[in-house]
Amino acid sequence: MKTFYLTIKQFLWVSILFMLNSCDSFVDVELPKSQLINTTVFEDYPTANAAIIDIYANIRDKGMLTGAGLGISNQLGNFADEIISTQNPNNPSLNFYNNSLLASNTSVSGYWNITYNQIYAANAVIEGVAASKNLSVDQKKQLTGEALFIRALLHFYLVNVFGDVPYITQTDYKKNSTVSRTPTGEVYQNYIADLENAIAVLPDTATTSDVERVRPNKSTAQGLLARIYLYNKSYPEAANMASAVLNHEGLYVLEQNIAKVFLIGSKETIWQLQSGNAGLNTAEASFFTFTSGPPPLVSLSDNLVNSFKPNDLRKSNWIKTITKGTATWYHPYKYKENKSTSVSKEYSIVFRLAEQYLIRAEARAQQGDLIGAKEDLNKIRLRAGLSGTTAQTQQEILDGILLERRWEFFTERGHRFFDLKRTGKLDSTLTGLKLGWNTTDILFPIPESELSTNPNLRPQNPGY
């Protein structure tokens, strides 16, 4: 599945999505476009399949989850303690690094608008598939399951960045234009329900034919659900769901050679976003890589780099050192191909097995299973060339897991910020370390343009 050739109908769908993403707000998506999608795109499987593929391409290229500089891998790294931003006033990362976001910030409004347009597209797939008279039962299950997964995934990031947000499950323009914010607890219930429904219909993990792992399957939805349960402090459920993924030992294996973790063929990958064409690699490598100093936009913080043990293989393999005279800078080096190659070597990984081990380790520790927690934690430590943990008490083990997550997932779609937030450590970690940090920075502002368009989204988040 290297390059997708578009039929006329597929081109129609891509054109529609382009129009959706050019809107100023998700509430500006017009009903006639929804009707057009339902009556044309889902007449047969190739065009319906192209619809869902195009959503993945859109997620890869735009909005929160893109690996490019405007995505949260960079911006939440700036917002927390992973990345340093240059003080160039034209640097779009500067307001994140200085913790000086305003409700008028275009990156923040882009997160909101683009993500809701991607959710709209997922809802259009769900509605179109349900109405189709030509798709087979299995085709309907696959496409619906993937769209439900997308809807849950995107709402997960929205709620963790903005707090209470509307949970949108339809394409009705009039209803969407007046929605109110859904309480965070209800959002959790909604995307847990979406993922449970997705798991029930997605292709079985053990029989998947997606060798490049660019389509979500049952394990992908289970992996996201394990993360959600952990964030929601539902520890037995988090451990069980992570185990459901880890038990597929024939398919998912922790790469012992740390240099192979971010390659296309990594056995550790659960789901990744495919590059647009053969020979293209990742936006992460293109953005983060610099070959001479000073850095053009961003670099890794000394605070992060110096926190690694000297013999940690992640430091030597996933971080690149750049020097000029007596000055030293660092950039992420997880993805190494910052230019096109004869064939693609790296895709942008969204879910990988290491997270499931650390989810289960934390969930086990929270339940008092300290032996099991240490076993899972040590799988990640030993792979990184470290010795087994010396932690003994529950709190020591939990602190060790949080630190391990910092070293393992830096600059990967906001893990560090979300970990500090959900464990109540944002203030204690960032106060004094980050100039401009305020307690209210735990949430981004609701975009000013959205509050003006739809007063039902008020009140604004505190501090803005």
Side-chain angles (χ1 to χ4, degrees):
M1 199 165 64
K2 282 290 184 185
T3 306
F4 306 112
Y5 299 94
L6 301 181
T7 65
I8 294 175
K9 290 179 181 177
Q10 291 169 325
F11 179 78
L12 175 61
W13 168 260
V14 175
S15 300
I16 292 167
L17 277 187
F18 177 81
M19 288 187 288
L20 299 188
N21 289 316
S22 67
C23 293
D24 292 331
S25 167
F26 82 100
V27 298
D28 290 336
V29 177
E30 299 174 4
L31 185 60
K33 293 172 186 174
S34 169
Q35 292 172 329
L36 184 61
I37 291 172
N38 287 337
T39 58
T40 61
V41 174
F42 300 98
E43 293 175 358
D44 53 38
Y45 181 73
T47 53
N49 192 45
I52 203 84
I53 288 171
D54 196 76
I55 300 176
Y56 299 138
N58 197 274
I59 290 171
R60 179 197 65 219
D61 295 338
K62 299 178 181 179
M64 284 197 285
L65 300 189
T66 179
L70 291 178
I72 60 173
S73 291
N74 172 51
Q75 301 293 42
L76 281 182
N78 277 280
F79 206 62
D81 58 354
E82 294 181 322
I83 293 177
I84 295 172
S85 178
T86 66
Q87 295 300 303
N88 182 336
N90 296 320
N91 186 347
S93 299
L94 190 57
N95 288 331
F96 290 84
Y97 178 67
N98 291 335
N99 297 98
S100 57
L101 291 180
L102 299 175
S104 58
N105 183 278
T106 56
S107 293
V108 172
S109 61
Y111 289 163
W112 181 281
N113 295 330
I114 293 170
T115 304
Y116 272 115
N117 277 316
Q118 292 165 349
I119 290 169
Y120 176 94
N123 287 334
V125 169
I126 293 169
E127 293 174 4
V129 167
S132 174
K133 300 185 185 311
N134 298 322
L135 297 176
S136 70
V137 172
D138 285 345
Q139 290 168 347
K140 286 189 172 187
K141 285 182 178 180
Q142 177 212 338
L143 296 172
T144 300
E146 291 188 35
L148 287 169
F149 166 79
I150 292 169
R151 188 166 76 186
L153 176 73
L154 296 175
H155 280 106
F156 167 83
Y157 282 101
L158 282 169
V159 78
N160 279 286
V161 167
F162 292 106
D164 297 349
V165 293
Y167 201 92
I168 304 299
T169 60
Q170 59 194 356
T171 60
D172 187 299
Y173 166 74
K174 292 182 178 179
K175 292 181 179 178
N176 287 347
S177 66
T178 58
V179 291
S180 299
R181 295 165 69 181
T182 307
T184 297
E186 288 185 32
V187 174
Y188 270 79
Q189 293 173 9
N190 287 338
Y191 54 51
I192 287 173
D194 273 350
L195 287 171
E196 289 175 340
N197 290 331
I199 290 167
V201 296
L202 279 170
D204 184 69
T205 304
T207 60
T208 183
S209 60
D210 177 21
V211 295
E212 289 193 330
R213 306 183 182 190
V214 296
R215 301 294 287 267
N217 58 21
K218 199 179 298 289
S219 282
T220 317
Q222 289 170 327
L224 175 56
L225 192 50
R227 184 193 296 178
I228 288 169
Y229 280 137
L230 183 73
Y231 279 37
N232 205 36
K233 304 186 188 316
S234 302
Y235 299 120
E237 293 84 356
N240 290 339
M241 201 56 61
S243 292
V245 180
L246 294 168
N247 288 342
H248 285 288
E249 296 176 353
L251 186 62
Y252 304 119
V253 180
L254 200 66
E255 287 282 0
Q256 293 308 306
N257 183 347
I258 207 161
K260 294 183 177 180
V261 172
F262 292 92
L263 298 178
I264 283 178
S266 172
K267 298 183 185 303
E268 183 174 332
T269 299
I270 299 173
W271 181 52
Q272 56 192 347
L273 294 169
Q274 184 187 40
S275 300
N277 292 294
L280 293 182
N281 291 292
T282 68
E284 287 91 337
S286 296
F287 175 76
F288 283 124
T289 299
F290 57 92
T291 57
S292 62
L297 292 174
V298 300
S299 58
L300 289 177
S301 71
D302 291 345
N303 181 274
L304 169 63
V305 175
N306 293 335
S307 71
F308 283 88
K309 302 288 191 248
N311 61 327
D312 193 321
L313 295 175
R314 292 168 295 198
K315 183 176 184 180
S316 56
N317 281 269
W318 294 354
I319 295 175
K320 187 76 168 178
T321 303
I322 305 296
T323 59
K324 183 178 182 180
T326 60
T328 302
W329 303 273
Y330 309 92
H331 70 75
Y333 201 47
K334 290 179 172 180
Y335 298 100
K336 297 174 172 52
E337 302 295 341
N338 65 323
K339 297 179 181 179
S340 296
T341 49
S342 57
V343 295
S344 300
K345 296 182 179 180
E346 298 167 342
Y347 291 161
S348 181
I349 298 172
V350 185
F351 287 92
R352 57 189 181 93
L353 204 63
E355 183 190 1
Q356 300 304 310
Y357 276 112
L358 291 176
I359 286 174
R360 192 170 69 178
E362 185 174 341
R364 284 174 164 176
Q366 290 285 3
Q367 297 176 86
D369 179 8
L370 304 188
I371 294 175
K374 291 172 67 172
E375 287 177 352
D376 283 339
L377 174 59
N378 284 337
K379 287 183 183 297
I380 307 303
R381 289 181 59 84
L382 294 173
R383 194 266 295 275
L386 303 177
S387 59
T389 180
T390 59
Q392 295 298 324
T393 68
Q394 181 188 53
Q395 191 56 56
E396 287 173 345
I397 293 170
L398 289 171
D399 290 343
I401 293 168
L402 185 62
L403 187 56
E404 207 64 40
R405 290 179 64 93
R406 183 187 194 192
W407 295 332
E408 186 71 21
F409 302 124
F410 67 92
T411 63
E412 289 186 54
R413 294 184 172 85
H415 275 290
R416 173 64 172 171
F417 175 78
F418 297 143
D419 284 344
L420 292 175
K421 177 180 176 179
R422 68 184 177 81
T423 57
K425 297 181 183 295
L426 269 174
D427 281 347
S428 60
T429 301
L430 301 183
T431 299
L433 179 66
K434 291 292 300 296
L435 294 176
W437 175 260
N438 294 299
T439 299
T440 52
D441 291 340
I442 193 170
L443 295 175
F444 285 4
I446 304 298
E448 186 176 76
S449 56
E450 296 299 319
L451 297 179
S452 298
T453 302
N454 179 12
N456 290 335
L457 296 174
R458 296 183 183 276
Q460 176 61 276
N461 284 333
Y464 300 101

